[in-house]
């Protein structure tokens, strides 16, 4: 759960990304990461989209620079505030690991 209007990672986020990278390193299959940025609905649609994109790009940059995951294995998309969760945890990143055959 990101602080409002903040795209930056905190130590807990970094730890979770490190854990993900460790698991990915143990895969014996090719994969692609679909990194999705989400925001709360307390700004304009354009601002929400931009913030979601910034959050996804920060995660992509971290995984590339700190964990050595190739940029070509990752894509980012922002959903802004268009896909809220029922539990209210909307300031988030969702990463889908797509295993390739």
């Amino acid at each position: 759960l990101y602080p409002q209007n903040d795209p930056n990672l905190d130590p807990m986020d970094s730890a979770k990304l490190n854990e993900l990278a460790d698991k990915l390193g143990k895969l014996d299959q090719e994969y692609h990461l679909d990194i999705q940025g989400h925001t709360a609905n307390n700004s304009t649609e354009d601002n929400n989209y931009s913030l979601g994109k910034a959050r996804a790009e920060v995660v992509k940059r971290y995984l590339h620079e700190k964990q050595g995951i190739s940029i070509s294995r990752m894509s980012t998309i922002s959903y802004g505030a268009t896909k809220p969760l029922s539990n209210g945890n909307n300031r988030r990143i969702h990463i889908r690991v797509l295993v390739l055959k």
Side-chain angles (χ1 to χ4, degrees), residues 4-96:
Q4 191 169 339
N5 296 320
D6 187 359
N8 298 308
L9 300 174
D10 68 20
M12 189 171 70
D13 299 327
S14 299
K16 286 182 180 182
L17 292 174
N18 293 342
E19 183 180 321
L20 172 64
D22 184 53
K23 288 178 182 178
L24 291 172
K26 295 175 183 173
L27 278 179
D28 60 354
Q29 294 176 285
E30 293 293 314
Y31 62 87
H32 185 84
L33 302 179
D34 177 32
I35 305 168
Q36 304 172 1
H38 299 269
T39 66
N41 188 17
N42 43 350
S43 188
T44 67
E45 187 176 325
D46 286 345
N47 285 343
N48 288 334
Y49 175 80
S50 295
L51 180 58
K53 184 70 170 173
R55 287 177 176 160
E57 289 294 329
V58 166
V59 168
K60 181 180 176 181
R61 188 170 46 253
Y62 180 89
L63 289 171
H64 176 66
E65 293 176 359
K66 302 294 185 188
Q67 295 297 330
I69 296 176
S70 173
I71 292 289
S72 65
R73 288 184 181 255
M74 298 181 278
S75 58
T76 60
I77 188 167
S78 174
Y79 289 104
T82 64
K83 294 191 175 197
L85 295 177
S86 60
N87 68 4
N89 186 11
N90 298 319
R91 297 185 317 258
R92 69 191 190 280
I93 287 291
H94 182 83
I95 301 173
R96 290 188 325 150

